[in-house]
Amino acid sequence: MGTHTQGKPVRTPKNPRARRPRRRRRRLVDYPRHGRRGLRRWLPSWRQWLGALTFLVACLGCLFAVVYASVDIPDENAAARREANVYYWADGTQMVSTGEVNRQNVRLSEIPDAVENAVIAAENDTFYSDSGVSPKGLVRAAVNMVRGQETQGGSTITQQYVKNTYLSQDQTLTRKVKEFVIALKVDRKKSKSEILQGYLNTSWFGRGAYGIEAAAQAYYGIPARRLDPSQGAALAALLKGAKQYDPSVNAVNHHRSESRWQWILDRQVTAGLMKPEVRAEITDYPEPHKESRSTSLGGQTGYLVDVANKYIRQHTPLTDKDLARGGYKIHTTFDRQKVRRLKGAVERVLDRHIDPKKRAADRGVQVGAASVRPADGAILALYGGADATRHFTNNADTTGVPVGSAFKPFVLASALENGVRTPSGSSGDRGNRWQAVSTGSFYDDGGLLRGTVAPALAGGASGASGGGGASGGGTATKTNPVPDAPDASDASDASGSSTRPTLRRALAQGGNATYVRLGKDVGWERVRRTALAAGLLDGSMARLERTFPIGTSTPSAIRMAGAYSTFAGHGLRHDPYSVTKVVKDDENVAGLARPGARRALDPDVADATAEAMQGVGVSAVRRPVVAGRTGDQDRLRSAWFTATTEDLSTAVTMFRTSPDEPQLLPMSGVGGADSRHGNVFPVQIWRDYVSGK
């Protein structure tokens, strides 16, 4: 019944497979786990856990390596590069900052150590030892994203600097990852000092202020270098959220800010950034000023900035486009107190006397004024209009307003400098004779100028009053001397009369006929050269015709104040200037050296002209004064008063405009019947201003 092999029976198994052991295939991952039953079959072993974690870390490492290699440090964003232009008063305090972003970058060396320490204690006390990132913050951002919350939180100073400088403010995980990677690279590329400086210059502090310098001005009205430890801690508190920690918003904010201020001070002690004895001395919360951002160009500020920018464009290589980029620190000559006093004087006179609702003649009344320091030409104050954001034309620096009788001193000075022609020849006759003039000279009934000194040959005064041109640049030489003895002019005055006024009296009392004749006898071109030499601009000069000597020219108030200071300066001319220094990136912009003095008039001529004008309309002011004003017989389109003392030369003008009328409106009836066509008001403004009311 079996198979035989070599005589031996061999049994054949009924099922050959049943006799062989079954081989189990080895799986790459023993999961579900072999040989386990129930729940244990589905629980990974510790080796599996370790392997999975190792694999995950390796994947994340590879992913991070790819991301790290692919993300470069980008260029700084436009907002981080943008700065404001900052304008300073003559005393060095900030007047205004202009631009889309109120920021003025400063070096870390200009920021007190106490302020740096307050920021580090508040935001990142491991700043100097960490690698620039907070992994915990990145994890928190991921968790918050899963929860649908903001990803912000836990960033280091380096990460916040990266966000401010290189990235947008979007609250996304992608931006957070980029911030993390770039922060690592920035920490390796830049020093900690560079990072901290960049952070302090780009952080948002509220009140429109980006950076510590703008914040110091916005909250305490001082530059960052003058912040004390207490103020530094209060500003550091704002970095947590300016809307919640600006103490001036409400009582809740104030309490929140004060609590964080105390915490930051205590934190500095804990972190070894402040000595306990210093902390013990800080007990009072440093209340900031009420919000008063000096970023507005309203009021007079816009006019001041306009004049400063115009001067910069004329004297430096900078253009409007350069200024628009920002970052310039512009130091001006403007005196804060004088600007306020001039504004107050104008507003008081207008409030008292000008009533557009009552009189149609009072509608459209405009005032312009400017003050110059005779010693060097510095523009100390100006009034450009009611508000630079509503009335855009700068009335202090506009041309188009006839100067009227305020021009007559230039005619008198030219006559004293050059003499006048006698009737014995034409102006082109080389044998024409000239007579020297005194302020006591007068025209007789026959049209001859009496009370003059000895005649001189024609051509003897040809070099007088400079070479003309826009700069009036020549040096005046006195050919026909003015009489030195005061009794000479006094005697001539005695010979004059109301119908035959002396040149001095005609200057004070509005003798237009006398000065029309005098201008013709001197020569219109010579009068023009004298005015240019004194400081008026060629572009403001009127046509040389009969009315030229009585003020058809249209200089600005700034130029009139500057030209009149030539009389007070004994004939030395100082061109008006408004900017002393412009700084960009710690470098001074070239071209702003102070203008030097030039001889415009002979000293005796200037002094005699000044003496002739003393006391005109200013008896209430106890100081030496020379002045000029429009007269009652002028073409009544404007009213002027220009006066100068040894330390202040001021021009005030009043006129009327209408948006629908290109020409100036008549001044008749302005301020009522007793105003003499508005002529009294510039004098009143000047009186209030110089008397310090």
Side-chain angles (χ1 to χ4, degrees):
M1 294 296 297
T3 302
H4 293 268
T5 303
Q6 296 179 356
K8 293 181 180 182
V10 178
R11 290 185 180 181
T12 302
K14 295 181 180 179
N15 185 358
R17 287 178 161 184
R19 309 255 330 183
R20 286 185 206 154
R22 186 177 181 182
R23 288 188 176 183
R24 179 172 57 85
R25 287 185 179 180
R26 298 194 61 181
R27 293 181 292 176
L28 183 62
V29 178
D30 184 21
Y31 191 84
R33 295 173 64 188
H34 181 74
R36 301 290 190 274
R37 298 180 181 277
L39 182 61
R40 295 183 61 193
R41 177 177 172 80
W42 299 97
L43 290 177
S45 68
W46 67 269
R47 291 186 181 87
Q48 288 174 330
W49 278 113
L50 181 61
L53 182 60
T54 302
F55 178 76
L56 178 61
V57 170
C59 289
L60 290 175
C62 291
L63 178 62
F64 180 79
V66 172
V67 173
Y68 189 88
S70 62
V71 175
D72 295 323
I73 299 177
D75 294 332
E76 293 184 0
N77 58 49
R81 294 193 303 268
R82 196 175 299 130
E83 293 182 68
N85 289 326
V86 185
Y87 297 78
Y88 298 92
W89 295 103
D91 63 4
T93 58
Q94 182 173 315
M95 177 172 68
V96 69
S97 64
T98 64
E100 295 180 13
V101 175
N102 179 24
R103 172 172 42 238
Q104 305 99 54
N105 291 337
V106 293
R107 293 175 299 178
L108 195 64
S109 60
E110 299 177 67
I111 303 171
D113 291 343
V115 177
E116 297 175 32
N117 292 338
V119 170
I120 290 172
E123 295 295 302
N124 181 192
D125 60 359
T126 62
F127 171 70
Y128 282 109
S129 60
D130 63 31
S131 60
V133 296
S134 170
K136 186 188 300 183
L138 182 61
V139 173
R140 183 183 299 113
V143 172
N144 287 344
M145 185 197 70
V146 172
R147 293 177 176 176
Q149 300 173 354
E150 291 186 353
T151 62
Q152 183 69 28
S155 297
T156 64
I157 284 177
T158 305
Q159 287 177 263
Q160 293 181 63
Y161 165 65
V162 166
K163 179 185 67 175
N164 295 341
T165 307
Y166 302 107
L167 301 172
S168 69
Q169 301 296 314
D170 296 338
Q171 300 294 328
T172 64
L173 184 60
T174 300
R175 200 272 299 158
K176 195 72 178 178
V177 171
K178 285 185 178 180
E179 172 193 300
F180 188 92
V181 174
I182 295 172
L184 282 173
K185 292 189 173 184
V186 166
D187 190 74
R188 295 181 61 186
K189 183 178 180 180
K190 292 178 179 279
S191 69
K192 290 291 187 179
S193 295
E194 289 176 309
I195 293 170
L196 183 59
Q197 175 178 297
Y199 174 68
L200 289 171
N201 279 325
T202 57
S203 294
W204 169 250
F205 287 85
R207 294 195 181 185
Y210 286 89
I212 190 69
E213 179 71 13
Q217 293 286 354
Y219 287 88
Y220 294 106
I222 58 175
R225 66 177 182 274
R226 291 174 50 193
L227 290 169
D228 61 35
S230 181
Q231 293 167 332
L235 292 181
L238 294 164
L239 294 170
K240 190 171 179 65
K243 289 184 178 180
Q244 290 76 34
Y245 288 87
D246 183 346
S248 63
V249 173
N250 52 47
V252 174
N253 269 27
H254 192 284
H255 176 73
R256 189 184 290 128
S257 176
E258 188 170 354
S259 297
R260 185 159 178 82
W261 165 77
Q262 291 176 339
W263 179 85
I264 291 172
L265 291 171
D266 294 338
R267 181 66 177 165
Q268 289 181 74
V269 176
T270 303
L273 299 172
M274 178 182 284
K275 294 181 179 179
E277 55 268 27
V278 175
R279 170 66 183 96
E281 294 177 356
I282 304 175
T283 57
D284 296 329
Y285 178 74
E287 294 290 349
H289 302 323
K290 291 183 179 179
E291 182 168 3
S292 179
R293 285 190 286 160
S294 56
T295 57
S296 171
L297 293 178
Q300 297 306 301
T301 304
Y303 303 122
L304 298 172
V305 168
D306 173 65
V307 168
N309 286 349
K310 182 178 179 180
Y311 188 84
I312 291 170
R313 292 193 302 268
Q314 291 174 342
H315 294 85
T316 74
L318 299 181
T319 64
D320 284 333
K321 186 178 292 185
D322 294 324
L323 291 172
R325 293 191 183 102
Y328 293 95
K329 297 179 179 179
I330 300 164
H331 297 262
T332 74
T333 61
F334 305 129
D335 184 303
R336 185 204 304 253
Q337 297 304 322
K338 285 184 171 60
V339 170
R340 289 178 177 174
R341 283 212 325 255
L342 182 56
K343 176 177 179 287
V346 172
E347 291 177 346
R348 284 192 297 273
V349 170
L350 294 180
D351 289 344
R352 285 197 304 259
H353 301 288
I354 304 302
D355 188 350
K357 296 180 180 180
K358 181 179 179 180
R359 287 180 295 269
D362 288 357
R363 296 170 188 166
V365 169
Q366 299 289 336
V367 174
S371 284
V372 169
R373 185 166 57 211
D376 63 355
I379 303 174
L380 301 180
L382 58 84
Y383 181 87
D387 189 318
T389 61
R390 293 185 283 110
H391 176 75
F392 304 110
T393 302
N394 190 339
N395 294 343
D397 196 32
T398 187
T399 57
V401 182
V403 73
S405 288
F407 189 79
K408 291 175 185 176
F410 304 112
V411 182
L412 176 60
S414 190
L416 297 176
E417 187 97 36
N418 296 287
V420 297
R421 287 189 299 269
T422 65
S424 61
S426 65
S427 60
D429 184 358
R430 293 294 297 173
N432 189 31
R433 298 178 66 82
W434 290 76
Q435 289 179 310
V437 177
S438 76
T439 58
S441 301
F442 63 94
Y443 284 97
D444 64 15
D445 293 338
L448 296 177
L449 193 62
R450 300 296 185 182
T452 60
V453 253
L457 290 176
S462 60
S465 299
S471 64
T475 300
T477 57
K478 182 181 177 184
T479 307
N480 300 306
V482 176
D484 292 329
D487 57 341
S489 59
D490 291 344
S492 299
D493 263 347
S495 300
S497 66
S498 59
T499 58
R500 297 180 303 176
T502 63
L503 300 184
R504 179 192 294 110
R505 182 177 297 176
L507 181 67
Q509 297 179 354
N512 281 357
T514 298
Y515 273 83
V516 167
R517 181 175 295 177
L518 182 64
K520 181 180 180 181
D521 289 347
V522 175
W524 299 328
E525 180 56 36
R526 288 183 175 84
V527 173
R528 177 180 179 276
R529 288 203 301 263
T530 298
L532 294 176
L536 300 189
L537 297 180
D538 184 57
S540 67
M541 291 291 101
R543 293 176 56 187
L544 300 182
E545 56 186 10
R546 179 178 176 275
T547 56
F548 174 72
I550 56 174
T552 52
S553 296
T554 58
S556 68
I558 291 175
R559 279 289 165 174
M560 279 296 289
Y564 265 53
S565 69
T566 302
F567 300 129
H570 309 290
L572 285 179
R573 166 184 168 179
H574 295 274
D575 283 334
Y577 71 101
S578 58
V579 178
T580 58
K581 182 172 62 174
V582 175
V583 181
K584 170 81 170 185
D585 298 329
D586 298 322
E587 296 288 335
N588 288 347
V589 176
L592 292 171
R594 182 175 297 180
R598 288 181 282 175
R599 172 61 61 188
L601 298 171
D602 182 276
D604 289 341
V605 169
D607 293 347
T609 305
E611 185 274 336
M613 292 188 289
Q614 284 186 5
V616 178
V618 292
S619 57
V621 181
R622 297 180 180 178
R623 59 172 65 191
V625 170
V626 295
R629 61 173 176 81
T630 53
D632 294 338
Q633 300 178 42
D634 289 338
R635 295 183 178 182
L636 304 173
R637 299 280 174 170
S638 62
W640 282 80
F641 185 80
T642 307
T644 181
T645 68
E646 291 183 355
D647 58 2
L648 195 65
S649 182
T650 304
V652 183
T653 180
M654 180 180 283
F655 53 94
R656 291 181 63 216
T657 61
S658 172
D660 302 325
E661 176 57 55
Q663 303 297 323
L664 297 181
L665 302 178
M667 291 289 289
S668 302
V670 170
D674 297 331
S675 73
R676 290 187 296 175
H677 313 291
N679 280 308
V680 299
F681 300 135
V683 180
Q684 291 179 12
I685 290 170
W686 186 86
R687 284 175 177 167
D688 281 4
Y689 169 53
V690 299
S691 62
K693 292 183 179 179

